[in-house]
Amino acid sequence: MKPGNRFDGGPDRNRSAPRLASVGRPRGLLFLLASALALVAGPASGQQASPQDTYGPLFVAVQTARVFPDGKTFVDAVPKRDPQAILADYRRAKPAAPDALRAFVLKNFTVPGVNDRGAADLRRHIRTLWPKLVRQPEPPVTGSSALSLPAPYVVPGGRFREMYYWDSYFTMLGLAVDGQQPLVESMLADFTAVVERYGHIPNGMRTYYLGRSQPPFFALMLALSKDNSPELAARRLAALRREHAYWMSGASCLDATGACARVVRMPNGTLLNRYWDDRPLPRDESYAEDLATAAQDPSRPPAIMYHHLRAGAESGWDYSSRWLADPKSLASIRTTDIVPVDLNSLMYLMEQAIAQRCGAAGDVACSTRFNELARNRGAAINRYFWVGREGRYADWDRVTRGPTPRQSAAMLYPLFAGLASPQQARATAATVRRTMLATGGLRTTPLRTGQQWDAPNGWAPLQWIAVAGLERAGQRALAREIARRWMGTVAAAYGETGKMLEKYDVEERKPGGGGEYPTQDGFGWTNGVASAMLERYPDLLER
């Protein structure tokens, strides 16, 4: 059949009319003429009004400005309220710029394929995304940067084509409640194999990530497993203990500076941890960016700058005012001078998990040792990281030998780890309400710096740490409020874009920005946290 013909030989009623010359904006003689015709023309006798008849000048403005690439999009839109009221508001507001015109339409119409995705569809959409994010194990091509893995795994999405460490915990939270337990087990097999091969879990499954790790969530991942076979338990415990040894290996080279690799000696002698990277070079994946940053501060040797930048990448917060002497300058980065509250809370949980698993295996000496390590670490966290006068947990500065002035969502990790007293939990919750809570969820920090781990951005993993931590500490109302606001942001962006995004602007409830690359969609940890939150609070999106 030729285009434009019907099977019965009659005219094709879906065929488009000949186009007039393209109009970029609703201006000029053509627009004025079309508007005048729209005002005087009406539906033919006995016919129901078409969108052109009903919306007159608004219809002409939208169609001639090409607000939507396909002219059929707007004419199939459904008004959210009385059409005459919409038209009256349009005449009053007169939005002329294309962006303003589009915003007016989206506010007043449900537009197919644009903002017609309901919040109720969100969980179903996430479940359809999991298979799309699964990758099968394949031997890497010679010369490729990929690390080989033995079992299927889930990638974050977008530019992130490999499995990442801390992303995967939050992804697995969603897999576990979305009927994807086999993927949880296969990803644990991958992580266990990686520890056995390299001695640690790298930032991501690429050769250029082997110099660093990421926030150590392996112990918490293992708690999501349903496979309790003794042989597998022994293998996983060995891998977990090896990961702990990796983080603590700097204890053997401590000198008068009080720090080596990832280990820091606190004033009372307790050994805590910092972020680090073993390679004093620009990052392979951000080579030009790191060269440019190092060149901005010629007073520091480039290798020192690269250690700070790489350590910031190991933290997962790449980058944030948490690591900057001057919040407006990435060149002032000093990550390795800071003892982070989130890292040490996770190390406390790791030590507790090893003690529990050693006890279950009948290894009393191991259980006793790691229980003692956890107790000492927990006491040090509350001694050095708690700032009572400000009602918050802080990072600790090993140069000034005191807490840093930077507030951040990391203050909730001790609650997540069960380290906060009821009084500390109440004070932290009050601080969060006062400085960290935004319309669309939890801010990463209160500072606007242009870095992606600062305001106005919010990130799925930190929302989960906050919600789970506040719940654990008895601050249930605030936990639910953060979950409600966050899911409202995720649902709004999904309704607008049809995508699950890496990060969000929680102040304006829109896609987030900043950082070294554009906001990515996919997105593993956003999907996982959304599913986990809706499992915990199933009524969150009912309205």
Side-chain angles (χ1 to χ4, degrees), residues 23-294:
V23 179
R25 291 171 180 261
R27 295 285 188 271
L29 183 60
L30 173 63
F31 175 70
L32 294 173
L33 178 60
S35 297
L37 289 172
L39 288 173
V40 299
S45 178
Q47 290 186 359
Q48 190 169 341
S50 74
Q52 187 172 174
D53 303 325
T54 302
Y55 297 108
L58 172 59
F59 169 88
V60 171
V62 171
Q63 297 294 68
T64 58
R66 302 286 176 84
V67 169
F68 305 104
D70 184 347
K72 194 172 186 298
T73 300
F74 178 62
V75 297
D76 291 351
V78 178
K80 296 180 180 179
R81 57 196 179 101
D82 178 61
Q84 292 309 308
I86 294 174
L87 196 53
D89 283 350
Y90 169 74
R91 290 190 174 107
R92 186 162 44 251
K94 296 180 176 146
D99 286 348
L101 192 54
R102 178 183 173 88
F104 181 86
V105 171
L106 295 180
K107 180 180 178 181
N108 289 284
F109 294 84
T110 299
V111 181
V114 182
N115 66 348
D116 60 340
R117 303 167 189 90
D121 299 329
L122 186 61
R123 188 83 182 271
R124 183 166 57 251
H125 176 68
I126 291 170
R127 287 170 173 155
T128 67
L129 284 176
W130 292 130
K132 299 176 183 178
L133 296 173
V134 174
R135 300 294 180 270
Q136 299 300 322
E138 294 180 1
V141 176
T142 302
S144 163
S145 62
L147 301 179
S148 63
L149 296 171
Y153 54 91
V154 175
V155 301
R159 73 195 288 265
F160 302 109
R161 308 171 188 91
E162 51 284 312
M163 186 169 70
Y164 282 77
Y165 184 4
W166 81 309
D167 293 61
S168 294
Y169 170 67
F170 301 96
T171 298
M172 291 159 72
L173 290 172
L175 294 173
V177 299
D178 281 345
Q180 299 289 338
Q181 191 64 31
L183 271 175
V184 172
E185 305 296 344
S186 69
M187 291 171 74
L188 287 173
D190 287 329
F191 283 123
T192 301
V194 165
V195 176
E196 292 170 342
R197 188 185 315 149
Y198 301 109
H200 70 287
I201 299 174
N203 181 153
M205 301 303 123
R206 296 278 180 180
T207 56
Y208 51 79
Y209 288 139
L210 284 170
R212 62 180 180 268
S213 186
Q214 271 194 329
F217 278 92
F218 185 45
L220 295 174
M221 292 179 189
L222 291 173
L224 298 175
S225 177
K226 303 295 186 185
D227 190 333
N228 298 314
S229 66
E231 297 81 6
L232 189 56
R235 185 182 172 193
R236 288 172 171 176
L237 174 56
L240 192 55
R241 292 186 67 174
R242 192 169 179 189
E243 182 184 42
H244 185 270
Y246 166 82
W247 283 95
M248 298 306 300
S249 61
S252 63
C253 56
L254 287 170
D255 56 20
T257 67
C260 182
R262 292 167 179 79
V263 176
V264 173
R265 182 187 292 114
M266 301 300 284
N268 71 345
T270 303
L271 300 184
L272 297 184
N273 293 91
R274 66 176 177 175
Y275 291 114
W276 181 256
D277 187 305
D278 300 327
R279 290 172 62 82
L281 300 169
R283 293 168 295 157
D284 292 44
E285 74 281 12
S286 300
Y287 190 83
E289 292 89 340
D290 287 358
L291 288 176
T293 301

Side-chain angles (χ1 to χ4, degrees), residues 322 338-342 344-345 380-381 384-397 402-408 410-412 414 428:
R322 282 181 78 188
I338 294 167
V339 187
V341 66
D342 49 357
N344 284 283
S345 297
I381 287 171
Y384 293 109
F385 295 78
W386 175 247
V387 186
R389 65 184 179 278
E390 298 178 17
R392 68 181 178 99
Y393 284 94
D395 299 316
W396 196 80
D397 189 326
T404 73
R406 304 280 185 260
Q407 289 193 28
S408 77
M411 73 172 76
L412 289 153
T428 302

